[in-house]
Amino acid sequence: MKFPKANEYNSYFKTYIDHLPEGDPIELLQKAQAYSLRILRKIPKEVANYRYEEGKWSIKELVLHMVDCEQILSYRALRFARGDFQSALPFDEDKYATAANLEQIDWEYLLTSTELLRQFTIHLFKGFTEEEQVLGGSKAFPSTVRAVAAIIAGHQLHHTYVLQERYLKESVEPFNL
């Protein structure tokens, strides 16, 4: 899969794409996942409900946000690949992240969800033909299928960097392809 060009996604997603070196988006999904899981696995379950500031998401909510966004974005890519360009339904990321009672959810469950979902996401994107990879979205979400793959990888890196800097008070480890 080829790396998306700037005209294949909304400028809103440039922040996420800019976290990535130019490369195969499927490979970037794999590498971003390995990077993120290395950071997440260092977090003891006892601090997974930690918020670095009042009103900010807990670590669990941040991870759930990454999972939810990946599912929604993958669904959008599937629709576009199948020629369904109806407007993508918006979602309120804050409501999604806080709707689940995550204090009762085991930290390992969230980590396993992250791993399994990424396996499926990679499998999904590997199944798109070259023709499907360049199909575009809708007015509400004007991205190509391959741009969505890159957005998912960059989104995960973005939030992993936030996790390192703001929650764990660590320097951001370099991401290498």
Side-chain angles (χ1 to χ4, degrees):
M1 183 178 285
K2 293 181 183 170
F3 195 77
K5 297 178 178 101
N7 66 347
E8 293 184 51
Y9 53 89
N10 185 300
S11 61
Y12 172 83
F13 296 106
K14 184 177 180 344
T15 302
Y16 304 135
I17 300 287
D18 284 350
H19 287 305
L20 303 169
E22 200 163 308
D24 178 343
I26 293 174
E27 191 174 328
L28 293 169
L29 284 165
Q30 294 167 330
K31 299 288 185 179
Q33 176 74 337
Y35 175 92
S36 184
L37 283 174
R38 188 172 63 250
I39 306 305
L40 291 171
R41 292 237 173 259
K42 290 194 266 181
I43 299 171
K45 66 180 178 180
E46 297 79 27
V47 298
N49 289 312
Y50 169 74
R51 299 169 192 277
Y52 71 89
E53 190 176 288
E54 181 74 29
K56 296 295 183 180
W57 292 337
S58 69
I59 293 173
K60 283 182 178 179
E61 288 168 339
L62 180 74
V63 173
L64 180 66
H65 167 73
M66 290 191 288
V67 169
D68 286 347
C69 286
E70 184 166 334
Q71 290 183 82
I72 291 166
L73 292 171
S74 294
Y75 169 69
R76 288 176 180 172
L78 175 64
R79 287 180 57 186
F80 302 158
R82 300 298 184 254
D84 180 0
F85 304 111
Q86 298 296 313
S87 291
L89 293 174
F91 71 103
D92 183 329
E93 62 186 33
D94 286 317
K95 284 184 181 176
Y96 270 63
T98 59
N101 184 4
L102 291 179
E103 290 188 16
Q104 305 303 315
I105 300 294
D106 184 62
W107 178 234
E108 279 301 315
Y109 173 84
L110 284 173
L111 295 178
T112 300
S113 296
T114 301
E115 290 179 276
L116 293 174
L117 177 59
R118 183 55 54 91
Q119 288 173 18
F120 177 77
T121 299
I122 290 168
H123 184 74
L124 174 71
F125 280 93
K126 282 182 176 180
F128 296 137
T129 66
E130 285 186 34
E131 294 78 21
E132 290 170 330
Q133 292 170 18
V134 295
L135 290 176
S138 64
K139 286 183 181 181
F141 192 79
S143 299
T144 63
V145 170
R146 69 182 178 195
V148 173
I151 290 165
I152 292 169
H155 181 259
Q156 184 178 34
L157 287 176
H158 169 78
H159 285 294
T160 302
Y161 296 159
V162 168
L163 178 68
Q164 289 175 84
E165 290 177 331
R166 297 182 190 164
Y167 291 81
L168 304 177
K169 311 289 189 224
E170 298 176 349
S171 301
V172 172
E173 293 181 20
F175 172 75
N176 298 313
L177 183 60

